[in-house]
Amino acid sequence: MAEETIIIGLLASAVKLAVPLLLAAIGEIFSERAGVLNLGMEGMMLAGASAAFLGAYFINLVAGLALGMLAGGIVGLIMAYMSVVLRRNQIVCGVVLTIFGTGLSSYLFRLSFGAASTYPTISGFQAINIPVLSQIPVIGEVLFQSNILVYLAFILVPIAGVILYRTTQGLRVRAVGENPRAADTLGVNVRTIRIICVVFAGIMGGLGGAYLSIGHLNIFREGMTAGRGYIVLALVIFGSWSPYRALGGALIFGGIDALQLRLKIFDTGIPYQFLQMLPYIATILILVLVAFRKSYARGAPAALGTAYER
């Protein structure tokens, strides 16, 4: 019975820890499908986490969620302006915005609370038990006893898939990422599509960060994303730029993260610093796998990372 409880707890934690990765990955997929390599996701998530916590603390949870998405969207807009309008190097722009988002989130937090020795907390989104489904053994406890942001993340996966693969707008996004010149010739506004997709990536990154601060931990700490923005980049590659495969990848990463947290509780004799390394080691191994298995790269947009000048 104790073993079953531990396993259920591990799986439930894996699902919850997968959510911020999944939300940000959906946005990143649209950005990269449009041909813009967004390395600023870490900064977008941190900006969203900070703004969401401040909004929830001083106003309410809904305002916090909106502010988190707005903050991520603003960082995404800056990224779009630099990389799409000014056509600057996308890698450099992303790194700069990661530094900017990290510094901005810390500044806003310290401006509001000072260098406090204890971190303020809030009452975040409460779990919503889905009738009937939440009573299913194991599955109900793992999937159907979560808060609204968890359900939203999983609902967005098929929605993103339908938009990308079953709509005219999705076709335009993919066309812009594959051959922007041909798309431009057919009357598709390449610049507008790319700007919208990068801003959307920022909004989703902000939502992922907001989930961390007001939907999961109910606290904000400087650098609390802990490199998840970079894990998202690996997750998108691992998922071959598909929302459905990204879901599977997010659950794997979430499971690894949940495992290392559980191992810390038990006296395994392994230094906790090594346990904290597990998600990042998994990221490196996956990227190595991708490098050796070129079939994974077939889904990469042909014009990814390439600025387009009409």
Side-chain angles (χ1 to χ4, degrees), residues 85-236:
V85 179
L86 300 182
R87 300 187 298 278
R88 301 307 176 194
N89 186 287
Q90 296 177 7
I91 296 176
V92 174
C93 292
V95 172
V96 168
L97 284 180
T98 291
I99 298 172
F100 170 74
T102 303
L104 178 64
S105 62
S106 298
Y107 172 74
L108 291 176
F109 183 78
R110 294 194 180 194
L111 184 66
S112 302
F113 301 105
S117 57
T118 57
Y119 292 98
T121 60
I122 61 168
S123 297
F125 289 96
Q126 301 302 309
I128 300 174
N129 293 341
I130 305 298
V132 181
L133 296 178
S134 62
Q135 304 305 316
I136 300 175
V138 182
I139 295 177
E141 295 179 64
V142 172
L143 296 178
F144 301 110
Q145 296 182 10
S146 303
N147 66 49
I148 190 170
L149 297 182
V150 177
Y151 300 133
L152 176 64
F154 287 94
I155 291 172
L156 286 176
V157 172
I159 293 176
V162 169
I163 292 174
L164 268 180
Y165 303 117
R166 294 287 185 267
T167 67
T168 302
Q169 293 302 322
L171 178 61
R172 289 174 178 171
V173 169
R174 289 183 287 125
V176 165
E178 292 293 339
N179 194 329
R181 192 167 302 280
D184 193 6
T185 302
L186 294 174
V188 177
N189 192 319
V190 176
R191 175 182 289 188
T192 300
I193 293 292
R194 286 189 168 184
I195 290 174
I196 291 174
C197 288
V198 176
V199 172
F200 175 70
I203 292 173
M204 293 302 294
L207 181 58
Y211 170 79
L212 279 175
S213 62
I214 66 175
H216 182 57
L217 300 176
N218 300 334
I219 193 173
F220 177 80
R221 291 181 295 178
E222 297 178 20
M224 68 182 302
T225 52
R228 285 181 174 86
Y230 296 109
I231 293 178
V232 166
L233 298 172
L235 177 60
V236 171

Side-chain angles (χ1 to χ4, degrees), residues 6 9-18 20-21 211-212 216-217 221 224-226 228 252-268 270-280:
I6 292 174
L10 176 64
L11 294 176
S13 181
V15 170
K16 292 178 175 62
L17 289 170
L21 298 175
Y211 170 79
L212 279 175
H216 182 57
L217 300 176
R221 291 181 295 178
M224 68 182 302
T225 52
R228 285 181 174 86
I252 292 174
F253 278 109
I256 295 171
D257 203 4
L259 178 62
Q260 65 94 4
L261 291 174
R262 290 297 185 279
L263 290 176
K264 288 180 185 178
I265 300 175
F266 301 100
D267 186 14
T268 60
I270 304 175
Y272 76 93
Q273 293 91 343
F274 288 97
L275 295 176
Q276 288 178 327
M277 292 166 56
L278 286 178
Y280 311 102

Side-chain angles (χ1 to χ4, degrees), residues 43-52 64-78 100-101 104 108 199 202-203 205-207:
M44 295 171 183
M45 292 182 73
L46 271 173
S50 175
L65 193 63
L67 286 174
M69 297 170 67
L70 177 62
I74 290 173
V75 179
L77 184 61
I78 297 173
F100 170 74
L104 178 64
L108 291 176
V199 172
I203 292 173
L207 181 58

Side-chain angles (χ1 to χ4, degrees), residues 29 32-35 164-165 174 177-178 236-242 245 290 293-304:
I29 287 171
E32 296 194 15
R33 279 288 189 178
L164 268 180
Y165 303 117
R174 289 183 287 125
E178 292 293 339
V236 171
I237 298 172
F238 175 76
S240 300
W241 292 266
S242 166
R245 294 177 182 174
V290 170
R293 297 191 63 181
K294 295 182 179 179
S295 59
Y296 275 103
R298 292 176 184 173
L304 179 61

